[in-house]
Every structure is written in C-alpha cells, then in structure tokens.
Amino acid sequence: MDLIDQLKELSIRVRKIKDTVQTEEATKNALIMPFIQILGYNVFDPNEVTPELVADVGMKKGEKVDYAILKDGKPIMLFECKKSGSDLNIGHASQLFRYFHATEARFGVLTNGILYRFFTDLEQANKMDEKPFLEFNILDFKDQYVEELKKFTKPAFNVELILNTASDLKYTRAIRNVLADWMVAPSEDFVRLACSEVINGKRITPAIKEQFTLITKNAFQQLISDKINERLKLAMEPSEELKKDNIISDQDSDGIITTEEEFEGYRIVRAILRETVDPKRVVMRDSKSYCAILLDDNNRKPICRLRFNNPSRMMLGLFEEKEERIVSVTDLSDIYQHADHFKKTVLRYNKPAELLFEEGVATERS
C-alpha cells in the first residue's frame, strides 16, 4: 500500500477517535505511534524507535524526549509529543530544543497526534530553528506534503536530500503566511507599493492610503476568488469544445447512454490529472459494458474504466501493466483515493515509444 493510502486510512481513524483521546500517553499510543510506523519504523524495536530517550543536557540530568528514531544506534529524528487537541507553540518545544543541541539528530518533530511540525537548524548550525520548515496535518493534507513526508520514511531517509528542500519549504510557507495576512489586513508598505503602480506618482496622502487599503484588500480577495473559480470551472464544467473532443460515445446509433455518474467520474479523473498532462489528452470513450478513460484517445493507453452500469454496485478498473484490477466505489469521491495510481499510469505512458513497445500496455477488451 502506498504511503498516501496508509495516511488516508490513519486520517479516517484519527478523525473517529481524536475526541476520545484524553491524555498524552493515549495520544502517543493511538495517534503518534501509528504515524511513526507508517513512516516505516518498527515502534516495537528499541534499537529503531526508542521511547523516552534519556540524556544529560548541560545542568539538566535525566531529561527525556518522547521518541527518538535511531539509525546505526544514533538518533536521526526526535519526537516531542503533546496531548491531542493541545496547541503547539514554541514554548512546548523546550525539551526538543535542548535535545536537538545535545544529540546528532538533524530533525525534531513537535506533534499532538494531528499536526506534525518538523524542525531543523537552517538558521544556525546545531541549534533548532524556532519555526518549522514543514507542517503536516493528518486530517487535512495535500499530495505535495505527502511527497515531502516520503523523504522521512525509513527506505528513503537522506539528511542531505531533506535539507536541500527544507529551506525552500520553510520560506515558501512563511511567504504564504505573509500573503494570507495581507489578504485580511494589507500592510502599509504593501498598500504603498500597490498604489505606486496605479496612481502614476500621485502623492499618497493619509486619505488615499486609507482608501487604497480597503481597495487593495478587496482586489486581493477578488483575485484569489477568480483563480479558484477558474480552476473549479475547468475541473468540473468542461467547455463545449472539451465535451465534444474528449467525451466519445455512440448514444444515438448503439443505444449507449452516458450517465451523469460517468460524466462526473470522468471530470474527477481529469481534474486529478490536470497538473500531470494537458486535460485535452484525457478522453472518455463510452461503451455498453464500461466507460473507458484513455490518454490521447488511444485504446493502448487506458487510465481507468468506470464500471457504473449498476448504480448499487459501482466498480473502478485500474491498470497495472497489462492487467486490469477491479476495486469497489461506494461514492464518487472514492475515485480521489486512486489519484497517485492515475498519475503513475499516465507518466508510464509518457515514456519513450520504444520503452512502451518493450513493456507492452493493456489493450481495450470488449
């Protein structure tokens, strides 16, 4: 099972039990240990995951960090745990700060079992930064954060690789936070910058500044709203041109009826793949037994099959090399669970032609 699928399963479980977890110890056992295990570390092997690692830090003796992930007997990642629902602020990371300085670990994690904040020492060597470079929310995460989390898994763990992207992640997050603040309350400097671009050198009086503060805020929010609406429109309401070019069926001549569920399933798959390939390359070809989603309208490049003819028992066909694997779909939103699989399938078809010829791909079966 892929990492994203394991995280989604844990997310469902956490959502169900989080309100019943009342203590820090229960949080560790029910929420945090499963997360560490998903990263590939054996939580029952003290040579790999040591609970309450003890070390003397300066004048403080017998200090403990909740979990230390070990490699070759040395700590590589430290976890400081708080009770589920607790706020996570820098004051809660005091032990993590001290342990980070005293051990060889390059990464510290502050968590309450739902939010995981990852720290390192980008600002000053061997001193943990006060701001995390990565935040992962088990109840609300995007694919891009799963890709970053993969770097912390046991098979992929590589200090240099993580550090190479940590700086970009940290400052990208910081700038996003600044922009988010400006959407609500634009700073004076930002308002002046915007004014200088549109009022042609006119002196910015207090009255103009007050007027443009509100204008800037509204313009910012309208811009974001327009961008969101554009993406939703592209994903969920394909243009007439796309409907004509990308949905192929013979409803009139062969009695084939493309249902609304099939249209919606197609739109979901196309929305998932829009950042991987041009949406115009994702085509739906309906038939009596199933609705095929193809790349480039090529029967040798199937992405999936929507087997929705029986509304009470909808099925989805996934392709692995030459074989089709059938999975159940209880709700159309379940299609999103297979996003990674669709992307991998499309990327495989985008290999050089000679490699595809050697590997072979699934052909359409009637």
Side-chain angles (χ1 to χ4, degrees):
M1 187 183 295
D2 288 344
L3 177 64
I4 191 169
D5 295 322
Q6 296 181 69
L7 290 168
K8 286 178 178 177
E9 284 190 1
L10 179 60
S11 178
I12 293 171
R13 182 168 178 267
V14 170
R15 196 177 297 278
K16 290 179 179 178
I17 67 174
K18 62 182 178 66
D19 294 331
T20 64
V21 177
Q22 300 295 325
T23 66
E24 183 178 307
E25 196 63 29
T27 302
K28 292 179 187 178
N29 293 331
L31 309 183
I32 299 170
M33 286 177 65
F35 179 84
I36 294 175
Q37 199 155 18
I38 283 176
L39 295 181
Y41 302 100
N42 186 354
V43 295
F44 303 108
D45 182 356
N47 293 316
E48 192 161 291
V49 180
T50 300
E52 297 190 338
L53 181 70
V54 179
D56 295 335
V57 183
M59 298 298 292
K60 290 183 175 289
K61 306 296 182 181
E63 287 247 303
K64 297 178 181 180
V65 69
D66 290 305
Y67 293 107
I69 310 298
L70 307 181
K71 182 178 181 180
D72 300 327
K74 298 179 180 179
I76 58 173
M77 189 163 31
L78 308 174
F79 278 75
E80 179 70 17
C81 307
K82 302 300 175 186
K83 186 181 73 172
S84 175
S86 298
D87 290 333
L88 295 182
N89 55 55
I90 203 62
H92 289 154
S94 55
Q95 284 178 286
L96 199 57
F97 268 104
R98 293 193 290 270
Y99 258 68
F100 189 93
H101 179 73
T103 70
E104 297 180 32
R106 295 297 303 275
F107 306 105
V109 183
L110 180 64
T111 180
N112 58 12
I114 296 173
L115 185 63
Y116 292 81
R117 290 182 171 169
F118 290 76
F119 297 82
T120 188
D121 55 351
L122 296 174
E123 304 293 339
Q124 185 176 336
N126 205 31
K127 180 181 179 182
M128 196 177 86
D129 298 338
E130 292 190 2
K131 294 184 179 179
F133 67 90
L134 174 65
E135 284 195 4
F136 186 86
N137 189 329
I138 191 65
L139 299 181
D140 182 21
F141 58 84
K142 298 179 176 62
D143 289 0
Q144 68 188 80
Y145 295 118
V146 176
E147 291 302 314
E148 295 302 326
L149 199 61
K150 281 182 181 178
K151 298 172 185 176
F152 290 93
T153 60
K154 182 179 177 181
F157 188 85
N158 182 297
V159 172
E160 295 304 319
L161 180 61
I162 298 172
L163 291 177
N164 283 343
T165 56
S167 179
D168 287 349
L169 285 171
K170 177 179 179 178
Y171 295 117
T172 298
R173 177 174 170 271
I175 290 174
R176 286 183 60 179
N177 289 340
V178 170
L179 293 175
D181 289 342
W182 284 353
M183 284 184 63
V184 178
S187 71
E188 183 175 338
D189 288 341
F190 183 62
V191 172
R192 286 183 177 275
L193 177 63
C195 284
S196 66
E197 294 290 329
V198 298
I199 62 175
N200 299 322
K202 186 177 179 180
R203 190 170 70 88
I204 301 175
T205 64
I208 290 178
K209 187 185 74 172
E210 182 179 355
Q211 176 189 11
F212 270 82
T213 296
L214 181 59
I215 290 173
T216 302
K217 175 182 175 180
N218 291 338
F220 212 151
Q221 293 177 341
Q222 287 176 21
L223 174 63
I224 299 300
S225 178
D226 289 346
K227 292 296 182 183
I228 291 173
N229 288 334
E230 285 176 14
R231 296 195 64 173
L232 287 174
K233 183 177 180 180
L234 177 61
M236 304 306 294
E237 298 181 7
S239 65
E240 291 302 318
E241 179 182 356
L242 281 176
K243 286 180 180 178
K244 179 180 177 181
D245 293 344
N246 288 31
I247 302 177
I248 303 171
S249 65
D250 300 313
Q251 296 186 31
D252 296 333
S253 58
D254 295 333
I256 298 170
I257 298 176
T258 304
T259 66
E260 184 56 39
E261 287 79 12
E262 289 170 333
F263 277 117
E264 184 65 19
Y266 162 67
R267 291 168 186 147
I268 290 173
V269 174
R270 193 161 61 87
I272 289 170
L273 294 173
R274 66 183 305 275
E275 294 182 355
T276 305
V277 296
D278 185 338
K280 292 182 180 179
R281 296 179 61 191
V282 181
V283 176
M284 182 171 85
R285 182 176 289 277
D286 205 357
S287 66
K288 289 184 178 180
S289 55
Y290 55 76
C291 196
I293 310 297
L294 310 171
L295 183 67
D296 300 327
D297 193 20
N298 187 335
N299 288 342
R300 294 179 60 83
K301 298 181 181 180
I303 299 170
C304 66
R305 288 174 180 166
L306 308 178
R307 298 181 176 275
F308 292 174
N309 289 342
N310 183 352
S312 63
R313 191 170 179 269
M314 295 191 297
M315 311 292 285
L316 180 67
L318 304 175
F319 287 91
E320 297 172 347
E321 300 298 338
K322 296 182 180 181
E323 300 299 322
E324 179 185 10
R325 175 167 61 91
I326 306 296
V327 297
S328 297
V329 177
T330 57
D331 184 88
L332 288 174
S333 63
D334 291 348
I335 296 174
Y336 285 103
Q337 297 178 10
H338 306 285
D340 279 356
H341 189 95
F342 298 147
K343 293 174 183 177
K344 289 177 182 177
T345 299
V346 166
L347 290 174
R348 181 165 61 86
Y349 294 150
N350 277 342
K351 286 182 180 180
E354 62 270 17
L355 292 181
L356 284 176
F357 180 79
E358 291 175 3
E359 293 179 0
V361 295
T363 56
E364 191 81 338
R365 295 196 297 266
S366 60

